[in-house]
Amino acid sequence: MKLALRQSHRRRDAELPGIIGTARLDRRAGRLLNRLNAGDIAVIDIADLDRSTADALVAAGVSVVVNAQPSISGRYPNLGPEVLVAHDVALLDAVGTEIFAEVKEGTRLRLDGDVLYVGDRVAARGARQDADTIRAAMRAAKAGLSAQLQAFAASTQQHMEREKELLLDGIGLPELSTRFRGRHVLLVAKGYDYKSDLRALKHYIREFRPVLVGVDAGADVLRDAGYQADLVIGELDLISDAALREAAEVVAHADHHGRVTGLARVQDLRIEPVVFASSGTSEDAAMLLADAGSPRLIVTVGMRATLEEFLDAGRGGIASTVLTRLKIGGRLVDAKAAAQLFQTRVSAVSLVLLAVSAVLAIVVVLVAGLGGDSYQHLLADGWDHLVSWLRGLLS
């Protein structure tokens, strides 16, 4: 009976115009992304949709994104809408927050033009975006960029006043069991180009064995890539049970007042996290904790690194991130730069293989061309020269 009913729904769906999919709703994108399936219609509440969230929506395979807010408000040129449209994901904008009352999780939705339907009932109307409308909105947003830069400067000053003891003197940093001193540290977030950057660092991770830190959903990124995190830090409700259980240490990022989201759930897993309160982002908290441990180098994956990316994010955390990066200074390297630098290095394994090949070549030549004690003396001299050469390379 259920199968016949399902087939009847499919036939009816096929006869209707527009794009049909299952509704998945959440005001917080981090929680929504974990529930999405291919073909779903994602209902979000994000003013100025950023690129990293759009990348994640595309990777999940959604067919439609319905945004309660304007995806480009005009405050600054954010990159998310361009990403969606470039990957043929339909975008319906500014439908209003009432959508969360009108539509239930798991409901079948249909988008036809700029109207969203539940069955035959109109659930919402909005502005259907395409490449032309997004291009026009981006031009208008760029025109007001100077005002945003001024607001950013003011926000930076305010954050410095609020967190100066933490940034300048380290007051408020918790004690950790994870040790960073003299080691490389790899901070992984689920942001810009995280998959490709983590793949590019595979050989670097194998050789240097850095301290692996998962930030928010970056804990699951590490786990999915086959790594075990030494430290997990962030908003606990953005991290899976499995990633929390497998981490050697867990730090809950609290807001400036010490409030922690998802603490009860983690305690139910018999995990007692260290609490770190700050008004910055989880990425900033991770960088500050790593830097306080006196590491040799901090490499970031999936984190904002350019002016375009900072403006694209468009959140209050931009000021804290810029100040945190200024504090850490030369010890902080983006994954793309680290991958380029590591590729130019000659590894110890390569040197050993080169040495073995050289010795074999010498032996073959000498055995073929000489006899008796003569080739033994020459072989000994050749070996001494080879050892001296290798020492010079490694020193």
Side-chain angles (χ1 to χ4, degrees), residues 94-110:
V95 299
T97 55
E98 298 82 7
I99 186 71
F100 291 95
E102 292 288 335
V103 176
K104 304 290 186 186
E105 177 85 5
T107 303
R108 296 288 287 175
L109 296 179
R110 178 169 63 92

Side-chain angles (χ1 to χ4, degrees), residues 351-367:
L351 289 175
V352 170
L353 291 174
L354 179 62
V356 171
S357 300
V359 170
L360 289 175
I362 292 170
V363 170
V364 169
V365 170
L366 291 176
V367 169

Side-chain angles (χ1 to χ4, degrees), residues 149-191:
L149 289 175
Q150 290 175 358
F152 165 69
S155 176
T156 302
Q157 184 176 357
Q158 291 169 5
H159 181 78
M160 185 64 194
E161 287 296 321
R162 188 167 55 246
E163 297 276 28
K164 60 184 176 184
E165 291 184 339
L166 173 62
L167 291 169
L168 298 179
D169 303 316
I171 296 174
L173 287 169
E175 286 289 332
L176 300 179
S177 59
T178 305
R179 293 290 170 254
F180 301 103
R181 183 174 295 277
R183 296 184 62 186
H184 287 221
V185 180
L186 186 67
L187 305 181
V188 179
K190 193 174 183 179

Side-chain angles (χ1 to χ4, degrees), residues 304-315 318 321-322 325:
R304 300 183 292 262
T306 67
L307 177 62
E308 184 180 62
E309 290 170 353
F310 281 117
L311 291 172
D312 174 53
R315 302 186 184 99
I318 297 177
T321 301
V322 169
R325 286 177 171 268

Side-chain angles (χ1 to χ4, degrees), residues 70-115:
S71 293
I72 303 177
S73 70
R75 293 181 299 166
Y76 53 87
N78 55 300
L79 307 177
E82 286 184 335
V83 171
L84 294 180
V85 171
H87 288 86
D88 297 322
V89 177
L91 176 60
L92 184 67
D93 249 9
V95 299
T97 55
E98 298 82 7
I99 186 71
F100 291 95
E102 292 288 335
V103 176
K104 304 290 186 186
E105 177 85 5
T107 303
R108 296 288 287 175
L109 296 179
R110 178 169 63 92
L111 176 65
D112 185 17
D114 59 359
V115 182

Side-chain angles (χ1 to χ4, degrees), residues 288-302:
L288 288 171
L289 285 173
D291 182 62
S294 301
R296 184 177 177 187
L297 189 73
I298 301 173
V299 180
T300 63
V301 170

Side-chain angles (χ1 to χ4, degrees), residues 92-352:
L92 184 67
D93 249 9
V95 299
T97 55
E98 298 82 7
I99 186 71
F100 291 95
E102 292 288 335
V103 176
K104 304 290 186 186
E105 177 85 5
T107 303
R108 296 288 287 175
L109 296 179
R110 178 169 63 92
L111 176 65
D112 185 17
D114 59 359
V115 182
L116 189 68
Y117 294 91
V118 176
D120 297 326
R121 177 174 64 85
V122 175
R125 295 179 184 272
R128 182 77 175 265
Q129 302 291 351
D130 57 28
D132 292 334
T133 61
I134 290 171
R135 201 159 31 240
M138 288 288 280
R139 279 197 299 269
K142 287 176 182 176
L145 192 55
S146 61
Q148 290 304 310
L149 289 175
Q150 290 175 358
F152 165 69
S155 176
T156 302
Q157 184 176 357
Q158 291 169 5
H159 181 78
M160 185 64 194
E161 287 296 321
R162 188 167 55 246
E163 297 276 28
K164 60 184 176 184
E165 291 184 339
L166 173 62
L167 291 169
L168 298 179
D169 303 316
I171 296 174
L173 287 169
E175 286 289 332
L176 300 179
S177 59
T178 305
R179 293 290 170 254
F180 301 103
R181 183 174 295 277
R183 296 184 62 186
H184 287 221
V185 180
L186 186 67
L187 305 181
V188 179
K190 193 174 183 179
Y192 300 97
D193 304 323
Y194 71 94
K195 286 185 178 179
S196 57
D197 285 351
L198 193 57
R199 281 196 302 268
L201 292 174
K202 180 175 65 175
H203 299 297
Y204 161 80
I205 294 170
R206 183 182 302 141
E207 180 164 345
F208 285 93
R209 297 187 179 279
V211 180
L212 299 178
V213 180
V215 184
D216 289 334
D220 288 286
V221 170
L222 281 170
R223 185 174 183 273
D224 293 343
Y227 301 111
Q228 182 175 358
D230 297 293
L231 177 69
V232 164
I233 178 171
E235 297 183 39
L236 301 178
D237 56 353
L238 300 180
I239 307 168
S240 71
D241 290 357
L244 288 166
R245 284 195 187 100
E246 293 175 9
E249 188 171 19
V250 176
V251 176
H253 180 221
D255 65 18
H256 191 58
H257 301 288
R259 291 186 293 256
V260 179
T261 57
L263 183 60
R265 164 181 155 254
V266 176
Q267 290 173 334
D268 287 344
L269 298 173
R270 296 185 178 179
I271 298 170
E272 197 59 47
V274 176
V275 176
F276 178 24
S278 74
S279 60
T281 66
S282 297
E283 295 176 9
D284 305 334
M287 286 189 281
L288 288 171
L289 285 173
D291 182 62
S294 301
R296 184 177 177 187
L297 189 73
I298 301 173
V299 180
T300 63
V301 170
M303 296 187 184
R304 300 183 292 262
T306 67
L307 177 62
E308 184 180 62
E309 290 170 353
F310 281 117
L311 291 172
D312 174 53
R315 302 186 184 99
I318 297 177
S320 65
T321 301
V322 169
L323 288 172
T324 300
R325 286 177 171 268
L326 286 173
K327 172 180 169 54
I328 297 173
R331 273 203 293 231
L332 190 65
V333 180
D334 180 66
K336 291 180 176 59
Q340 290 294 322
L341 291 170
F342 183 72
Q343 287 173 3
T344 64
R345 241 178 128 261
V346 180
S347 69
V349 174
S350 300
L351 289 175
V352 170

